[in-house]
Amino acid sequence: MDNSARQPETDFRGRLVRQVCTHVRCLRCDTAFGREDVIVLGEREHIWLVAVICAVCRFQGLVFARLQPGPRPDLLTELSPEEAEHFATQPAISLTDVRALRHALDALDGDISQLWQ
């Protein structure tokens, strides 16, 4: 899909946001978005709104990206250092894991705590 007619590439920040969004993957089929799959819709107060369209499965989504100069903020977490170390050594959550949880949640009729009993 060629979006060049709708979206000039003259703004450095707009090009940067498009490049950042190429690191986002499709939620449906896990395909990485290419630059041609990313449409910058606008920016307000350092928050960019970007539409993405998967070239493989045609899934459409929105990405909010925040670009602000300055040092990277510290990681905010509720985990203790021991918990953070434990989870850092675990395998990444896969798309299959996410789909299985979604299926379980869709089938759930009641309290979510039932899933862990």
Side-chain angles (χ1 to χ4, degrees):
M1 175 176 192
D2 181 16
N3 297 318
S4 58
R6 289 187 281 166
Q7 184 174 24
E9 289 285 337
T10 57
D11 180 69
F12 171 75
R13 294 178 307 154
R15 290 192 312 267
L16 180 60
V17 168
R18 285 174 62 96
Q19 181 61 36
V20 166
C21 286
T22 63
H23 297 280
V24 175
R25 301 185 79 80
C26 176
L27 293 175
R28 182 176 291 155
C29 71
D30 202 38
T31 299
F33 293 110
R35 289 179 52 83
E36 65 279 359
D37 305 322
V38 178
I39 305 165
V40 176
L41 300 174
E43 181 261 346
R44 187 174 189 180
E45 298 179 18
H46 304 291
I47 305 292
W48 290 78
L49 177 59
V50 180
V52 290
I53 303 170
C54 180
V56 174
C57 72
R58 307 308 297 163
F59 180 80
Q60 298 178 25
L62 293 174
V63 175
F64 290 88
R66 181 172 184 231
L67 292 183
Q68 188 170 352
R72 188 176 189 175
D74 291 335
L75 178 64
L76 299 177
T77 180
E78 295 178 1
L79 298 177
S80 70
E82 295 80 19
E83 290 169 326
E85 184 176 326
H86 169 76
F87 288 114
T89 62
Q90 300 301 307
I93 296 172
S94 70
L95 182 59
T96 302
D97 296 330
V98 173
R99 287 181 176 156
L101 181 57
R102 179 178 180 187
H103 178 73
L105 290 173
D106 285 344
L108 183 65
D109 184 29
D111 188 352
I112 194 169
S113 65
Q114 295 172 7
L115 293 176
W116 287 269
Q117 294 178 358

